[in-house]
Amino acid sequence: MRFALLLGILIFLQPSAPASAAPKEIGLALGSGGASGLAHIAILRVFDEMDIRPARISGTSIGAVIGALYAAGLSADEIEAIFRDFAGSKLDALTGILRSDLKLYDVLAVNLDDGGLIDPTAFLKFLAGHVEATRFEDLHIPLAVVATDFWSGESVIIDEGDLFAAVHASMAVPGLFDPVIRGDLLLVDGGTSRPLPFDLLFSDTDRVVAIDVSGNRRPSDDNTGITDLLFKTFELMQQSLIREMILRQEPDLYIQLDISDVRLLEFHRLDTILEQARPGAEHLREQLRKWQTE
């Protein structure tokens, strides 16, 4: 009797087994890169297939566009379908001349009056028509998008108010899309100051995943025209900024997708872009599996 009582006391005093650890919250940063940013769809598809939902998203330029659609509740497949709807033609980014189909013209109208070559208003309305969210407060996943104040050069983080007005500001590539006035600020593309905004996620998430779609340049026998020089130089600037950010503080997972030979507005090359994104997407899948077992 005494032995049983003593055994019961010892069992009672044993430390209880630790509760299973809560899943790590993941912050996802989607970088800028023009049409190369369609590669973000391949990344989001991995999250969908593994049934993992990012706790927060930050995005710049095309990263803000796709991040807004995903945070509003669309799947990667649904986002891909949206871009297939209008990606049937090629737009020369410098002249505004459409080649082949006219489908893209319906959502990117030439405009020379407001500080940009192209008026993205119809494009943004086209995107907004596919989601119920109109404001940041309506989103399923908290989102922050990055624009740049033209006068100070400082990043402007937008996470409240009109969703697609913020996206417009974030994607306002100087000389291509018109800048956006927000109070006393004149906002241009966030890629000029913070092209991969993973630093916005450290304080609120356990793991930070940063997806770099700024592209790669390879030697070519083709003549490099003025359009390529202008926008590839913009990419060089962004890559330099990203390197400096990583030196200050590395994300838990940095993936530079090897997207090459894709110009800024070549949205019609969606299949090529997604194919090039496949190795990076598989790398993400492997890392997410490791984190699930930790």
Side-chain angles (χ1 to χ4, degrees), residues 243-261:
R243 286 194 296 269
E244 289 299 319
M245 291 178 64
I246 291 174
L247 285 175
R248 288 196 296 269
Q249 185 172 6
E250 291 187 38
D252 297 280
L253 179 61
Y254 167 71
I255 297 178
Q256 183 180 29
L257 298 178
D258 187 17
I259 310 300
S260 60
D261 301 321

Side-chain angles (χ1 to χ4, degrees), residues 44-216:
L44 297 179
R45 185 170 286 116
V46 173
F47 281 94
D48 288 346
E49 290 172 352
M50 297 186 68
D51 196 23
I52 297 173
R53 174 169 159 166
R56 303 185 73 85
I57 298 173
S58 60
T60 298
S61 199
I62 186 65
V65 173
I66 293 180
L69 296 173
Y70 196 69
L74 297 187
S75 68
D77 287 344
E78 289 170 325
I79 296 171
E80 179 180 340
I82 288 173
F83 281 94
R84 287 196 184 280
D85 279 349
F86 76 89
S89 62
K90 178 180 178 180
L91 177 68
D92 185 300
L94 188 65
T95 66
I97 296 174
L98 288 160
R99 309 185 190 280
S100 74
D101 245 0
L102 292 184
K103 291 169 66 177
L104 189 59
Y105 183 75
D106 294 332
V107 289
L108 288 177
V110 176
N111 171 41
L112 300 176
D113 297 326
D114 297 317
L117 178 67
I118 300 170
D119 181 1
T121 303
F123 169 67
L124 293 167
K125 287 183 178 178
F126 171 77
L127 295 180
H130 288 79
V131 298
E132 295 181 0
T134 60
R135 301 178 62 81
F136 282 86
E137 294 77 10
D138 302 327
L139 295 173
H140 296 260
I141 301 173
L143 171 72
V145 305
V146 179
T148 302
D149 176 25
F150 177 77
W151 301 116
S152 69
E154 297 293 325
S155 293
V156 176
I157 314 305
I158 309 174
D159 58 6
E160 60 182 9
D162 188 300
L163 177 63
F164 286 96
V167 169
H168 182 179
S170 185
M171 60 177 273
V173 178
L176 183 61
F177 299 118
D178 56 305
V180 174
I181 297 173
R182 184 181 175 94
D184 296 331
L185 304 177
L186 183 66
L187 301 181
V188 296
D189 192 291
T192 59
S193 63
R194 211 187 218 115
L196 184 55
F198 58 84
D199 57 318
L200 304 181
L201 302 170
F202 286 123
S203 61
D204 296 315
T205 57
D206 303 304
R207 308 279 196 188
V208 173
V209 175
I211 308 300
D212 182 356
V213 293
S214 58
N216 289 305

